[in-house]
Amino acid sequence: MSAREFDIVIFGATGFTGQYVFEELTRISKAENLKFALAARSEKKLKSVIEQSKEYLQSIGETINADIPIIIADISDENSLLEMCKKTKVLLNCVGPYNLYGECVVKACLAAETHHLDVSAEEQFLEGMQLKYHEEAIQKGVYIIGACGFDSIPCDLGVSLVKKKFKGDLNSIETYLELNSGPQGETINTGTWNSVVNKITTRNKTKEIRKELNKTVFKKSPKFSHRLSKRPVVFKSDITNKWCVPFPGSDKTVTLRSQLFNYNYKNERPVQIQTYFVTSLFNLFFIILMGIMLFIFSRFKYGRKLLISYPHLFSFGKFKEGGPSRQEIKEASFTTVFWAEGWKDKLDVDKQHTELPNKNIKVILTAPDPAYITTSFCVVNAGIVCLKENEKMPGSGGVLTPAAAFEDTSLLERLQKSGMEFSIIEK
């Protein structure tokens, strides 16, 4: 990669998530000796965000550079995207929905030979980019790494941690995610809601992409002697002793692609995974009702327009324009339980165990607010590792999942220092 003006550029810094990513990068840029800039389509909004963040950071005892470089770039202007990408070694892309706005940024990064990281949870975009651009990224020595926020670094790298700690052959992992809020509760910005609506709309295309991906990138399909069964749609878990439903995020599909990558390219035994969301019986009613409305309304153009126009109504107040307050975010956190089963002894990768699994461990992850705090320190630290630890990443480039890209780097250690805590309970 040729010399660049900046180490990292945050694209979409005027968005709700982008502003938190900017504040996280500001906090650690001096210690990491980084040159960074902010990019968006509006100079006025960029300057406003810088002033807002400067005021907030100073109020909590942090300092911010007086003059932060800004770059004007617009999704609708390909040349502006290319010029932005030419100025930096790593781009942190915070502009979604990615199904609508992501591919043009990936193409600009490939043309400029700039590493690209995003915080998408949209499977069609994530898997579509791997199908279309994996080989080109390898040839150009560029890393395109998706799902680098709360979706899905905690789960993906959490599974990598469990594999390393298991000391045997790991067969399967179930994850149980529980969100915790403070007295004020917590809402989510409507940008996330728009991505959810778009994701549901494109689910059939995602299945087609996945079939092609398994023919081209992941040519070897693993076999399992002991299949991990899906739980019922609604069930009370014997692991958490709480009510659960399948988790609709990208954690499962992202982590499965990491396992397929390791099986195909590193000859490692893959792990089966199922992901679940923990909730109360009271909230379960609203979750099911919201899911039904999303499924029905997203099938029609006018229905999708209603969903996008009235997120507060259709989400029962969970999503709103302007997102949560700083106090709500400060008080929020999440817990993920990883329940792992396998065998005490290890066999060659292509050999199957004939007996039932005879070992299990539980790993509990706790971390701050998922949507903004955890997302910010995940993508920022991933960007820094991509910048500084290329030699520990696989091959010379490619379109990869977080664990496939960062499993052998210092990223997990960095995240633990930032606020992710893992407790291991061995049975």
Side-chain angles (χ1 to χ4, degrees):
M1 186 180 290
S2 59
R4 302 289 173 96
E5 186 176 354
F6 303 110
D7 297 309
I8 295 176
V9 166
I10 301 171
F11 182 44
T14 56
F16 199 89
T17 301
Q19 183 170 359
Y20 277 88
V21 174
F22 157 48
E23 291 173 2
E24 178 64 23
L25 182 56
T26 297
R27 289 189 187 98
I28 62 177
S29 61
K30 187 175 289 186
E32 296 286 349
N33 193 28
L34 298 173
K35 294 180 181 178
F36 74 92
L38 306 183
R41 62 184 178 179
S42 169
E43 182 178 357
K44 182 180 179 180
K45 287 184 179 179
L46 279 168
K47 290 180 177 178
S48 175
V49 162
I50 291 171
E51 287 304 311
Q52 290 172 26
S53 294
K54 183 177 180 180
E55 183 178 340
Y56 169 70
L57 289 170
Q58 287 177 341
S59 73
I60 60 171
E62 301 280 353
T63 57
I64 186 170
N65 292 337
D67 297 311
I68 293 176
I70 60 175
I71 300 170
I72 305 305
D74 194 322
I75 288 292
S76 62
D77 184 345
E78 290 183 10
N79 187 60
S80 72
L81 296 178
L82 181 59
E83 290 303 310
M84 170 184 67
C85 293
K86 285 180 178 179
K87 293 179 179 180
T88 185
K89 297 174 184 176
V90 174
L91 185 78
L92 306 184
N93 182 9
C94 300
V95 179
Y98 293 89
N99 281 337
L100 301 178
Y101 307 124
E103 185 171 0
C104 57
V105 184
V106 170
K107 289 169 70 174
C109 281
L110 285 167
E113 298 185 1
T114 294
H115 304 308
H116 174 282
L117 286 77
D118 63 58
V119 292
S120 174
E122 299 157 54
E123 283 103 334
Q124 183 193 344
F125 169 76
L126 295 169
E127 296 177 36
M129 295 305 94
Q130 191 166 37
L131 179 63
K132 284 186 177 183
Y133 300 114
H134 183 59
E135 289 302 322
E136 182 181 350
I138 291 173
Q139 292 168 10
K140 292 188 173 181
V142 172
Y143 289 103
I144 307 294
I145 308 167
C148 288
F150 165 69
D151 296 281
S152 291
I153 278 183
C155 180
D156 204 17
L157 286 178
V159 168
S160 295
L161 174 70
V162 174
K163 284 178 68 176
K164 291 176 182 177
K165 299 292 184 182
F166 194 76
K167 298 176 183 177
D169 274 342
L170 180 58
N171 180 59
S172 63
I173 293 178
E174 291 179 322
T175 68
Y176 295 88
L177 167 67
E178 184 171 9
L179 304 180
N180 311 302
S181 59
Q184 296 185 20
E186 186 182 11
T187 51
I188 304 173
N189 190 47
T190 51
T192 303
W193 174 263
N194 295 343
S195 293
V196 170
V197 173
N198 193 269
K199 173 180 171 178
I200 294 172
T201 305
T202 58
R203 62 190 177 278
N204 289 331
K205 292 180 182 178
T206 305
K207 292 178 182 177
E208 295 171 9
I209 292 168
R210 194 166 293 154
K211 287 180 182 178
E212 291 301 313
L213 200 57
N214 290 336
K215 292 178 184 177
T216 54
V217 179
F218 307 123
K219 295 179 181 179
K220 284 200 310 178
S221 297
K223 295 179 180 179
F224 299 98
S225 59
H226 298 276
R227 287 274 176 187
L228 175 62
S229 300
K230 287 184 179 180
R231 304 272 191 168
V233 174
V234 178
F235 66 99
K236 192 168 187 179
S237 168
D238 53 349
I239 308 300
T240 64
N241 198 33
K242 295 180 181 179
W243 289 96
C244 302
V245 293
F247 178 56
S250 63
D251 285 357
K252 178 180 175 179
T253 56
V254 169
T255 304
L256 285 175
R257 282 193 294 128
S258 295
Q259 297 306 307
L260 284 172
F261 181 89
N262 288 344
Y263 178 63
N264 277 262
Y265 298 100
K266 297 169 70 175
N267 197 36
E268 292 183 5
R269 184 181 293 275
V271 177
Q272 302 172 82
I273 184 164
Q274 294 290 350
T275 57
Y276 300 104
F277 181 70
V278 178
T279 185
S280 67
L281 198 56
F282 176 76
N283 287 333
L284 191 58
F285 170 78
F286 294 100
I287 290 171
I288 293 172
L289 187 57
M290 184 169 65
I292 292 171
M293 288 193 296
L294 276 167
F295 179 76
I296 294 173
F297 280 77
S298 64
R299 298 177 66 185
F300 309 101
K301 184 177 179 180
Y302 186 69
R304 292 192 293 273
K305 185 177 179 180
L306 286 172
L307 288 171
I308 297 296
S309 300
Y310 303 102
H312 195 70
L313 174 65
F314 285 101
S315 69
F316 302 104
K318 188 64 179 175
F319 293 82
K320 70 173 185 179
E321 191 72 38
S325 67
R326 287 194 182 270
Q327 187 62 29
E328 287 177 65
I329 292 171
K330 182 180 179 181
E331 294 172 350
S333 64
F334 73 94
T335 303
T336 300
V337 174
F338 297 80
W339 178 256
E341 294 186 340
W343 297 273
K344 296 175 183 178
D345 56 326
K346 292 182 72 72
L347 301 179
D348 291 339
V349 172
D350 294 323
K351 291 185 177 180
Q352 298 295 324
H353 290 264
T354 56
E355 73 276 17
L356 291 172
N358 55 26
K359 178 180 178 179
N360 56 62
I361 67 170
K362 180 193 286 187
V363 176
I364 302 174
L365 162 64
T366 56
D369 162 75
Y372 307 106
I373 302 301
T374 293
T375 286
S376 296
F377 68 62
C378 280
V379 71
V380 167
N381 280 286
I384 293 170
V385 169
C386 188
L387 181 71
K388 295 187 174 184
E389 298 183 34
N390 265 203
E391 74 285 354
K392 297 179 182 179
M393 296 169 68
S396 59
V399 181
L400 304 173
T401 57
F406 299 119
E407 196 168 55
D408 298 320
T409 70
S410 68
L411 180 56
L412 190 57
E413 181 183 346
R414 284 172 168 271
L415 297 178
Q416 289 173 296
K417 290 179 180 178
S418 296
M420 287 175 59
E421 297 181 5
F422 290 91
S423 302
I424 300 170
I425 304 170
E426 198 156 353
K427 301 264 181 170

